[in-house]
Amino acid sequence: MSLILPMCAFALAASISPGPVNLVCLSSGTRYPIATGLTFVTGATLSFIVLFIAVGLGLYSLLTIVPGLQSMLRWAGIAFLLYLSIKLALDSGQLPEAGRKKAPGFITGALMQWLNPKAWLASASGIGAFTNANDLNQVLLFAALYLPICWLSLACWVYAGAFLRRYVQKPVILMTINRTLALLLAASCVYLLVS
């Protein structure tokens, strides 16, 4: 029981702090209905929990055993983030019409977490700090606490985007926001390349 509050604090700090998934949530909130953004959030959250449990059961050690796997994951993550930043940068700033569905969805959210270096780092550091190696009960407790905290944290970013939506009705404003978010995503790729 003494670990529950520290686990929750860690989960909140790791989930709500800016990162690639959070930026996509913010962008989705400015462009699409909230329910669409929450679909992305659900995919990202459930995928993260699966990743978290897998790391807790030893998946992260596999990265050190299999040569090239960590490097391949890193490059795939960078490529995916660059792809998303290019899509944001090239966006026209026009809000989508009601019938058009080009928003990032459940699958994009799920895939993004497995390619997100922040998700791997949060999983590995959280598991290392708050659980005994391979203790399934501790890992599952931590995952059960993480699930609602992660979902609510990502949802906050969607709602923040929805709040901003009323101020971005002009395409030039939304285009500026999208390009700023694209630049931040690209900057995170540069950071990953040099670190």
Side-chain angles (χ1 to χ4, degrees), residues 57-193:
L57 297 179
L59 178 64
Y60 198 77
S61 62
L62 183 66
L63 295 178
T64 59
I65 296 170
V66 178
L69 185 59
Q70 189 169 6
S71 179
M72 185 177 76
L73 179 66
R74 180 175 178 234
W75 285 107
I78 290 170
F80 189 67
L81 294 177
L82 281 175
Y83 165 75
L84 289 175
S85 66
I86 290 169
K87 280 186 72 168
L88 270 174
L90 295 177
D91 186 76
S92 69
Q94 297 288 332
L95 291 173
E97 297 167 12
R100 294 174 59 200
K101 299 282 185 190
K102 295 192 312 187
F106 185 92
I107 298 297
T108 304
L111 176 63
M112 195 168 179
Q113 287 292 35
W114 282 83
L115 297 175
N116 181 3
K118 180 186 169 194
W120 283 86
L121 181 61
S123 296
S125 58
I127 293 291
F130 296 103
T131 68
N132 295 326
N134 298 325
D135 184 332
L136 181 60
N137 290 330
Q138 288 181 344
V139 171
L140 292 178
L141 170 65
F142 202 174
L145 295 169
Y146 225 127
L147 178 69
I149 292 170
C150 181
W151 193 91
L152 290 169
S153 296
L154 295 179
C156 285
W157 285 84
V158 172
Y159 279 99
F163 174 78
L164 290 175
R165 185 181 183 124
R166 69 181 103 180
Y167 301 106
V168 297
Q169 295 301 317
K170 293 182 180 176
V172 69
I173 296 172
L174 187 55
M175 192 168 30
T176 302
I177 290 172
N178 284 340
R179 288 189 177 156
T180 302
L181 293 174
L183 186 62
L184 290 171
L185 274 176
S188 68
C189 292
V190 170
Y191 174 77
L192 290 171
L193 286 171

Side-chain angles (χ1 to χ4, degrees), residues 22-34 36-38 95 104 155 157-166 168 174:
N22 306 75
L23 294 176
V24 173
C25 289
L26 181 67
S27 176
S28 183
T30 61
R31 299 187 50 77
Y32 303 101
I34 289 174
T36 303
L38 295 180
L95 291 173
W157 285 84
V158 172
Y159 279 99
F163 174 78
L164 290 175
R165 185 181 183 124
R166 69 181 103 180
V168 297
L174 187 55

